[in-house]
């Protein structure tokens, strides 16, 4: 899938750590740091190491596939924004915005990207003229910066984080609504492919819009949000705006409503004409009349999705990655490193490589079997393949999410993978 899908653990940039970092509270940050996926530079600011970057790239690819499928065109916008963008919509003084100034200035004249409604509205205004130019949809995967006061949840709440943001442009509210539904479906697919079950939740518009919006929530006790969700039909409202509480009847189906903790991994916004008005984004309709373009915006946090997967899929020993976003498919481990085992390991590694299986090969010398198994459990790759003097010509296979061990030959394993 990537250029280098087979990596020797002895050459891996990062190493695992036995101890959890003292300055992390969240499970995702602890396990991702111990496993060598991320490095914390400061509160809410993480670097993605090769293992972590592989996971993030997989999430990005899943998102790209689903965005392209609904007509989204990928682009990359500037991250440094002149002050005029946010002053045009009254958002220059939103609390989370990081402002920057050149060394010789007294006042900040720029901000770094926290969202892109203003920037893309201005760009679109230079290309959209007539109703025939619409609808349009464009997205990017880009770094956002937000000064989050509480940055204690690891990847769930960063001050710097990767977001996919899609923006759509329409001739009418009606056309926007149809597209909004399409995006909602694409979002459910994205999270499903990441191994996560998302709940479509009615929510507030925040700093973005006066309308209601919809969030995609993943149930998890560590979630900062509370949603009121029907146990039967899964109709859900964010507690922030909901009048429902545990025990109430669902307004849609009469089922029982429960309040549950959840993590917001996506949010979609019907924007109306707020940003088009600010940037004179207009089109001429069929009767020659000038009208404002109706916009929507749609976000997914990539790092938050990754962190959520860790919160949902881990056990006492480490991460249990969902297959589609695991850094590798197989973790090949050779133990009892007699020359014969080593040669066999190399051969199997080569064959897996040829067959296109993404594999991390634990070829480290002087590391005990126990340590290798602990590391494999911590890193959480879906299939563990062990060869030792004991396994003879076969390979011992174990899934990370099960205790069952089976012994097979390579051919069978290639079929399994
Ligand atoms: P929150 O309410 O959690 O602060 P938000 O509603 O302000 O987030 P949006 O502007 O809706 O965030 O951003 C779209 C998506 O980007 C969110 O659904 C989430 O997945 C992700 N995201 C937002 N803020 C962060 C953050 N600080 N760290 C990581 N991901 C984030
Ligand atoms: Mg949101």
């Amino acid at each position: 899938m990537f250029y280098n899908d087979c990596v020797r653990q002895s050459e891996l940039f990062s190493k695992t750590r036995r101890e959890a970092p003292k300055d992390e509270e969240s499970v995702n940050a602890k396990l991702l740091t111990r496993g060598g996926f991320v490095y914390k530079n400061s509160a809410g600011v993480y670097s993605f190491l090769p293992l972590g970057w592989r996971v993030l790239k997989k999430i990005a690819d899943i998102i790209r596939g689903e965005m392209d499928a609904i007509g989204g065109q990928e682009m990359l916008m500037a991250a440094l924004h002149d002050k005029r963008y946010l002053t045009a919509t009254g958002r220059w003084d939103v609390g989370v915005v990081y402002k920057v100034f050149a060394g010789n200035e007294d006042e900040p004249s720029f901000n770094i990207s926290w969202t892109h409604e203003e920037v893309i509205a201005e760009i679109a205004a230079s290309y959209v003229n007539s109703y025939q130019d619409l609808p349009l949809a464009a997205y990017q995967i880009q770094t956002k910066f937000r000064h989050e006061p509480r940055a204690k949840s690891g990847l769930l709440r960063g001050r710097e984080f990767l977001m996919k943001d899609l923006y759509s442009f329409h001739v009418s509210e009606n056309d926007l609504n149809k597209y909004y539904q399409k995006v909602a479906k694409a979002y459910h697919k994205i999270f499903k492919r990441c191994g996560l079950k998302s709940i479509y939740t009615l929510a507030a518009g925040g700093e973005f819009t006066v309308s209601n919006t919809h969030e995609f929530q993943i149930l998890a006790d560590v979630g900062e949000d509370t949603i009121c969700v029907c146990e039967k039909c899964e109709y859900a409202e964010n507690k922030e705006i909901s009048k429902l509480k545990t025990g109430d009847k669902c307004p849609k189906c009469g089922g029982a409503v429960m309040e549950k903790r959840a993590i917001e991994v996506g949010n979609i916004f019907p924007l109306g004409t707020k940003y088009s008005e600010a940037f004179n984004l207009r089109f001429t309709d069929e009767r020659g009349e000038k009208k404002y373009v109706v916009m929507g915006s749609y976000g997914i946090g990539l790092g938050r999705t990754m962190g959520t997967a860790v919160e949902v899929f881990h056990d006492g020993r480490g991460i249990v990655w969902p297959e589609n976003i695991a850094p590798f498919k197989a973790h090949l481990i050779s133990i009892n490193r007699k020359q014969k085992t080593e040669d066999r390991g190399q051969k199997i590694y080569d064959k897996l490589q040829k067959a296109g299986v993404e594999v991390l090969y634990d070829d480290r010398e002087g590391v005990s079997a126990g340590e290798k198994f602990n590391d494999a459990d911590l890193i959480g790759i879906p299939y563990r393949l062990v060869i030792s003097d004991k396994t003879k010509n076969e390979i011992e296979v174990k899934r990370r999410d099960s205790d069952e061990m089976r012994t097979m030959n390579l051919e069978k394993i290639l079929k399994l993978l």
Side-chain angles (χ1 to χ4, degrees), residues 4-23:
N4 198 352
D5 278 336
C6 300
V7 175
R8 288 170 172 281
Q9 210 166 330
S10 62
E11 293 169 4
L12 194 61
F13 185 87
S14 61
K15 292 190 177 72
T16 57
R17 289 197 212 168
R18 207 170 308 215
E19 301 292 325
K22 292 204 172 54
D23 57 346

Side-chain angles (χ1 to χ4, degrees), residues 208 215 264 266-267 269:
F208 293 83
E215 294 170 341
E264 175 204 323
N267 202 174
F269 305 81

Side-chain angles (χ1 to χ4, degrees), residues 31 35 41 50 55 67 83 131 148 167 169 192 213 272 275 311 325 341 356 361 400:
L31 291 177
N41 298 100
V55 175
M67 290 296 101
K83 183 176 177 179
Y131 70 95
E148 301 282 0
Y167 302 87
F169 305 88
K192 190 169 175 203
T213 69
Y275 301 91
E311 294 289 346
I325 61 169
T341 314
Y361 177 27
R400 176 64 181 86

Side-chain angles (χ1 to χ4, degrees), residues 351-368:
K351 283 193 178 144
L352 288 168
Q353 201 158 350
K354 271 215 190 88
V357 178
E358 297 167 73
V359 54
L360 178 64
Y361 177 27
D362 193 346
D363 61 335
R364 291 174 300 169
E365 282 176 42
V367 178
S368 73

Side-chain angles (χ1 to χ4, degrees), residues 37-100:
F37 291 84
V38 300
Y39 178 89
K40 176 155 101 175
N41 298 100
S42 51
V45 181
Y46 291 88
S47 294
F48 286 81
L49 307 175
L51 276 182
W53 183 233
R54 289 185 71 87
V55 175
L56 217 46
K57 280 195 290 186
K58 292 204 170 173
I59 295 172
D61 270 6
I62 290 172
I63 293 175
R64 284 198 177 98
E66 299 299 338
M67 290 296 101
D68 291 353
I70 55 168
Q73 300 176 45
E74 187 170 8
M75 62 194 282
L76 181 64
M77 284 182 269
L80 196 56
H81 302 168
D82 192 294
K83 183 176 177 179
R84 71 186 162 81
Y85 285 102
L86 292 184
T87 49
T89 53
R91 300 210 288 180
W92 175 251
D93 286 317
V94 168
V96 296
V97 175
Y98 277 104
K99 297 173 182 175
V100 293

Side-chain angles (χ1 to χ4, degrees), residues 146 148 156-158 161 163 208 264-267 269 301 304:
R146 295 184 183 179
E148 301 282 0
L156 301 185
R157 184 168 295 286
F161 58 95
M163 192 200 283
F208 293 83
E264 175 204 323
V265 284
N267 202 174
F269 305 81
R304 188 179 286 183

